[in-house]
Amino acid sequence: MPYNKTNYKPSVTVDCVVFGLDKSADVRVLLIKRAYEPYQNSWAIPGGFIKENETLDAAAQRELEEETGVRNIFIEQLYTFGNLNRDPRGHIISVAYFALINLEEHPTSAATDAKEAQWFKLSELPELAFDHSEILDIAIKRLDSKVRYQPIGFELLPEKFTLSELQSLYETILGRALNRRNFRSKILKMDILEQLERQKDVPHRPAFLYKFNKEKYEELSNNGFEFAISPPKERH
Amino acid sequence: MPYNKTNYKPSVTVDCVVFGLDKSADVRVLLIKRAYEPYQNSWAIPGGFIKENETLDAAAQRELEEETGVRNIFIEQLYTFGNLNRDPRGHIISVAYFALINLEEHPTSAATDAKEAQWFKLSELPELAFDHSEILDIAIKRLDSKVRYQPIGFELLPEKFTLSELQSLYETILGRALNRRNFRSKILKMDILEQLERQKDVPHRPAFLYKFNKEKYEELSNNGFEFAISPPKERH
DNA sequence: TCAAAAGTGTTTAGTTTACACCCATGC
DNA sequence: GCATGGGTGTAAACTAAACACTTTTGA
């Protein structure tokens, strides 16, 4: 097939599903209220058209920064959506990304670009514009399965965290209670956390703070180590 | 941001990385020799531009059928590539898919669309056009990690297969030897295979043939069952 | 002294690994 | 009868799960 200068060119957007953790260890997703038609005033996943001479990753970073003021966070490509009727303006292909941030270090308010932005609990999602519900569903599934096999949970926490915070995060995402002692020994045995000082000014026994040792993880990972939090097994 | 009719539109292609298993249980990938510039006569992953009113999945299916004559096989989206310099003709975004077929049921020769097509062993890959080496690398990684957690290996085998064939497949993809007895008991305990009749006309004790019971797998899968072939663990 | 969360050890069940010999068939 | 791959059982090591009480702090 010779190159055909008149080959069909669709529009291409990038959309970023941004997840964060709130104070009570609930996962939230950042949505914006659309300022223009179509779907004016509907909630949507932040995103926009790619520009000339811009890579997909760069577009995702740019949109994310424009919408939320955040940069240098964990971001990775999720899936590309190309159904014909997903946008009333015509055939618009969307390359979706998913991003994880720590809400405390990047507070809600820091948004926006003249649009209203808000963090929604996954249990209290509004109706979304376009096929964004579908995109969000896929992002949630990806978060869920990724969290089991890769230590991405740390991206959602502050740099220093307690084991209880880490456990709450896993319990929220996995949707089930974990045994405290077993969780602690499992995580600590992996030897990818660095113990720091204790908490201060808490109205109970202060917990040790930890940070994720990424170098150590990568070293272990190259030697066949697998980070895995498995589903519960039935006992007989 | 109001809709801008002059928004930038790149070209969009789909490329299909097709894996198959040869007689000696080696994984092979289907490549085509390019008939036109750029990269004329270079080997490349089959693919092409999407058409008006065509979804990405449909384009992938179409290209696959045009290049190989194959339809109704396992295919899923892999990743979308959008670097600026990946194609000398300009900014061309490629949505890559990866597909698995059983070489015996869809023999090599069935190709092509006036292009030369050939199955290459992963250990004997030629230089590839564009950024196709990168795409192929990512596809191989995906195959490797997917095979561990999802029963996709069956897509590469004929409908009826022996446990030894299944084991060879896993050994090839995982790149390590597996203990025969342990592999057998592990797979059989999962209870996702259906035992059929024995082989015939083989110069040794005939093995039982099995087929993958997809319904059963899905049922178990919904109940939290995980298909997993884990990496070797060190003993002390 | 109370409330609240941190921290810890052991037993048991289940799973994974390693290992060697006999079996059925075609030639 | 021999070469080829098919098929099987078990003990030992390890891992995962279940479980309850004591500690430290601020209020």
Side-chain angles (χ1 to χ4, degrees):
Chain A
M1 169 186 7
Y3 180 55
N4 175 2
K5 283 200 180 294
T6 66
N7 69 59
Y8 170 62
K9 296 183 177 187
S11 297
V12 177
T13 60
V14 296
D15 290 312
C16 287
V17 180
V18 188
F19 291 110
L21 251 210
D22 69 16
K23 293 263 181 198
S24 46
D26 266 333
V27 177
R28 292 183 181 243
V29 62
L30 185 62
L31 300 175
I32 56 155
K33 192 174 232 174
R34 287 183 56 80
Y36 304 101
E37 291 292 347
Y39 291 100
Q40 188 169 22
N41 298 321
S42 286
W43 292 98
I45 295 166
F49 290 97
I50 65 167
K51 299 188 165 169
E52 202 162 349
N53 291 321
E54 187 176 53
T55 65
L56 297 168
D57 289 359
Q61 301 272 6
R62 174 179 56 74
E63 290 290 347
L64 194 57
E65 189 169 352
E66 283 175 16
E67 312 274 0
T68 69
V70 172
R71 37 198 293 175
N72 278 329
I73 64 167
F74 177 92
I75 182 169
E76 74 169 33
Q77 206 187 91
L78 175 64
Y79 197 80
T80 299
F81 296 82
N83 280 347
L84 298 172
N85 54 356
R86 51 181 303 280
D87 192 310
R89 292 167 293 188
H91 193 191
I92 299 185
I93 290 172
S94 173
V95 182
Y97 279 76
F98 96 125
L100 302 178
I101 78 173
N102 152 22
L103 264 183
E104 291 189 27
E105 287 172 11
H106 306 285
T108 286
S109 51
T112 79
D113 187 20
K115 282 168 200 137
E116 197 181 333
Q118 199 175 308
W119 289 97
F120 286 86
K121 287 193 192 180
L122 297 187
S123 53
E124 297 170 5
L125 292 171
E127 278 210 8
L128 298 185
F130 308 107
D131 58 351
H132 285 190
S133 293
E134 188 192 342
I135 296 179
L136 186 50
D137 276 354
I138 290 178
I140 293 170
K141 285 204 188 97
R142 176 82 140 253
L143 177 63
D144 186 283
S145 68
K146 239 185 138 63
V147 97
R148 294 183 142 82
Y149 299 115
Q150 280 177 41
I152 59 168
F154 303 105
E155 306 287 344
L156 290 163
L157 291 171
E159 197 194 336
K160 301 177 179 184
F161 50 84
T162 66
L163 290 181
S164 298
E165 287 166 343
L166 185 63
Q167 182 175 347
S168 297
L169 161 61
Y170 274 94
E171 289 181 332
T172 307
I173 299 181
L174 298 176
R176 65 195 168 91
L178 300 172
N179 179 286
R180 184 155 45 110
R181 274 175 289 194
N182 294 341
F183 180 81
R184 295 171 78 90
S185 29
K186 182 161 192 168
I187 289 283
L188 290 175
K189 184 144 61 88
M190 289 181 182
D191 200 21
I192 54 177
L193 295 186
E194 194 176 323
Q195 194 180 67
L196 306 170
E197 73 281 6
R198 282 185 180 275
Q199 281 181 313
K200 284 194 177 119
D201 299 316
V202 286
H204 54 75
R205 181 176 178 175
F208 278 107
L209 294 167
Y210 290 84
K211 73 179 230 206
F212 175 52
N213 188 333
K214 198 167 181 179
E215 295 70 33
K216 188 82 179 243
Y217 167 69
E218 276 161 8
E219 185 196 322
L220 291 173
S221 190
N222 291 334
N223 292 321
F225 164 79
E226 281 195 5
F227 179 92
I229 307 275
S230 33
K233 293 189 180 151
E234 285 177 40
R235 311 305 288 279
H236 299 288
Chain B
M1 169 187 7
Y3 180 55
N4 174 2
K5 284 202 179 295
T6 66
N7 70 58
Y8 171 62
K9 296 183 177 187
S11 297
V12 177
T13 60
V14 296
D15 289 313
C16 287
V17 180
V18 188
F19 292 110
L21 252 210
D22 68 16
K23 294 264 182 199
S24 46
D26 267 333
V27 177
R28 292 183 180 241
V29 61
L30 185 62
L31 299 175
I32 56 154
K33 192 173 233 175
R34 287 183 56 80
Y36 304 101
E37 291 293 346
Y39 292 100
Q40 188 168 23
N41 297 321
S42 286
W43 291 98
I45 295 166
F49 290 97
I50 65 166
K51 299 189 166 168
E52 199 163 349
N53 292 320
E54 187 176 54
T55 64
L56 297 168
D57 288 0
Q61 300 273 6
R62 174 179 55 75
E63 291 290 346
L64 194 59
E65 189 168 353
E66 282 175 16
E67 312 276 358
T68 69
V70 170
R71 38 198 292 175
N72 278 329
I73 63 167
F74 177 92
I75 181 169
E76 74 169 30
Q77 207 188 90
L78 174 64
Y79 197 79
T80 300
F81 297 82
N83 280 348
L84 298 173
N85 54 357
R86 51 182 304 279
D87 192 309
R89 292 166 294 188
H91 192 189
I92 299 185
I93 290 173
S94 173
V95 182
Y97 280 75
F98 96 127
L100 302 178
I101 78 174
N102 153 22
L103 264 182
E104 292 189 27
E105 287 172 11
H106 306 284
T108 286
S109 51
T112 80
D113 186 23
K115 282 170 202 136
E116 198 180 332
Q118 200 175 308
W119 290 97
F120 286 85
K121 286 192 193 181
L122 297 187
S123 54
E124 299 170 4
L125 293 171
E127 279 209 7
L128 299 185
F130 309 107
D131 57 352
H132 286 191
S133 293
E134 189 192 341
I135 296 179
L136 185 50
D137 277 354
I138 290 179
I140 292 169
K141 286 204 187 96
R142 176 84 140 253
L143 177 62
D144 186 283
S145 67
K146 237 185 139 64
V147 96
R148 294 183 143 83
Y149 300 115
Q150 280 176 42
I152 58 168
F154 304 104
E155 305 287 344
L156 290 162
L157 292 171
E159 197 195 336
K160 300 176 180 185
F161 50 85
T162 66
L163 289 181
S164 298
E165 286 166 344
L166 185 63
Q167 181 176 348
S168 298
L169 161 62
Y170 274 93
E171 289 181 333
T172 308
I173 299 181
L174 298 176
R176 63 193 168 91
L178 300 172
N179 179 288
R180 183 157 46 112
R181 272 176 289 193
N182 296 340
F183 179 81
R184 295 170 78 90
S185 25
K186 182 163 193 167
I187 288 282
L188 289 176
K189 184 144 60 88
M190 289 181 184
D191 198 23
I192 53 177
L193 295 186
E194 193 176 322
Q195 194 180 66
L196 306 170
E197 73 280 8
R198 283 184 182 274
Q199 281 179 313
K200 284 194 178 121
D201 300 316
V202 286
H204 53 74
R205 180 175 177 177
F208 279 107
L209 293 168
Y210 290 85
K211 74 178 228 203
F212 175 51
N213 187 333
K214 198 167 183 180
E215 295 71 35
K216 189 83 179 243
Y217 167 70
E218 276 160 9
E219 184 195 321
L220 291 173
S221 192
N222 291 335
N223 293 322
F225 164 80
E226 280 195 5
F227 179 92
I229 308 275
S230 33
K233 290 183 185 157
E234 284 176 40
R235 308 308 288 283
H236 299 288

